[in-house]
């Protein structure tokens, strides 16, 4: 993909991968330019979402971004806090995050997933006004769903390795399977 093709994806939106009755609705911060260009969530080659999802046991094999609709077979889905594609999340305003939190709450109320898993603690804090939130289960719900904040799988997140991310995703999976 050329730099021009990537730049032309700026501000594009990508359809959610959702259905009613999901076990987990994974919520990214916003689409990357690669995601905007391809139409596939977490499409940047450096993004660790797909390998971590598999390593943590959510999927029986590592899915490719182009296979994202297969998540629905496992009652998993994907959306974003902010819909527009950017090169970096820091291009988004706090107001966009807060507005995205309201839109996400309405989406969760409509779809009724058991869990909302937000991948990015900073985005979660800003979108929902939870300044002291940390990675892990949260003490409140969003739109009726339990909430778990996961580490951002972006390759730019140097604080977490694929292994430590997979361990946190596995903690969520175990809780989902326990029915709590």
């Amino acid at each position: 993909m050329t730099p021009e093709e990537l730049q032309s994806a700026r501000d594009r939106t990508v359809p959610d991968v959702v259905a009613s009755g999901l076990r987990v609705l994974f919520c990214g911060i916003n689409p990357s330019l690669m995601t905007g260009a391809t139409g596939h969530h977490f499409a940047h080659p450096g993004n660790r979402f797909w390998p971590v999802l598999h390593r943590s046991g959510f999927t029986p094999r590592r899915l490719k971004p182009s296979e994202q609709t297969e998540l629905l077979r496992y009652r998993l889905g994907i959306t974003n806090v902010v819909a527009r594609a950017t090169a970096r999340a820091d291009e988004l305003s706090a107001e966009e995050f807060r507005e995205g939190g309201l839109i996400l709450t309405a989406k969760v109320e409509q779809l009724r997933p058991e869990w909302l898993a937000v991948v990015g603690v900073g985005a979660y804090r800003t979108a929902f006004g939870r300044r002291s939130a940390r990675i892990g289960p949260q003490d409140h719900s969003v739109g009726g769903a339990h909430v778990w904040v996961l580490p951002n799988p972006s390759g730019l997140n140097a604080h977490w390795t694929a292994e430590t991310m997979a361990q946190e995703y596995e903690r969520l999976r175990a809780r989902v399977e326990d029915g709590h």
Side-chain angles (χ1 to χ4, degrees), residues 2-175:
T2 68
E4 293 79 20
E5 288 171 317
L6 279 178
Q7 285 305 314
S8 72
R10 185 172 298 282
D11 297 326
R12 279 190 197 158
T13 60
V14 176
D16 294 337
V17 177
V18 296
S20 295
L22 297 172
R23 292 184 308 147
V24 181
L25 177 58
F26 290 96
C27 182
I29 297 170
N30 76 304
S32 68
L33 294 181
M34 182 68 75
T35 290
T38 64
H40 305 302
H41 292 274
F42 302 104
H44 191 282
N47 194 293
R48 298 169 287 184
F49 178 79
W50 298 104
V52 165
L53 203 63
H54 171 62
R55 286 174 84 168
S56 63
F58 273 108
T59 59
R61 66 179 178 83
R62 180 177 170 177
L63 299 176
K64 299 174 191 162
S66 61
E67 298 174 305
Q68 65 189 10
T69 58
E70 287 194 34
L71 288 176
L72 298 174
R73 294 174 46 195
Y74 309 111
R75 295 180 52 214
L76 305 172
I78 303 175
T79 189
N80 287 287
V81 176
V82 177
R84 72 179 185 95
T86 62
R88 296 178 53 101
D90 62 10
E91 296 175 40
L92 303 171
S93 70
E95 182 56 35
E96 285 179 283
F97 280 110
R98 287 189 291 273
E99 181 180 321
L102 295 172
I103 293 167
L104 180 58
T105 298
K107 194 176 296 186
V108 170
E109 287 171 350
Q110 178 187 359
L111 296 171
R112 311 300 283 165
E114 295 170 25
W115 285 88
L116 173 65
V118 180
V119 296
V121 70
Y124 176 77
R125 288 173 179 158
T126 304
F128 296 101
R130 300 283 178 162
R131 289 291 184 203
S132 61
R134 297 192 179 279
I135 298 293
Q138 304 303 302
D139 62 0
H140 77 287
S141 65
V142 168
H146 301 287
V147 179
W148 197 292
V149 177
L150 293 167
N152 180 352
S154 167
L156 299 175
N157 181 357
H159 300 292
W160 292 77
T161 66
E163 183 59 36
T164 58
M165 272 187 217
Q167 290 168 2
E168 188 62 31
Y169 281 55
E170 161 61 23
R171 287 182 58 217
L172 168 60
R173 187 184 62 77
R175 183 77 65 90

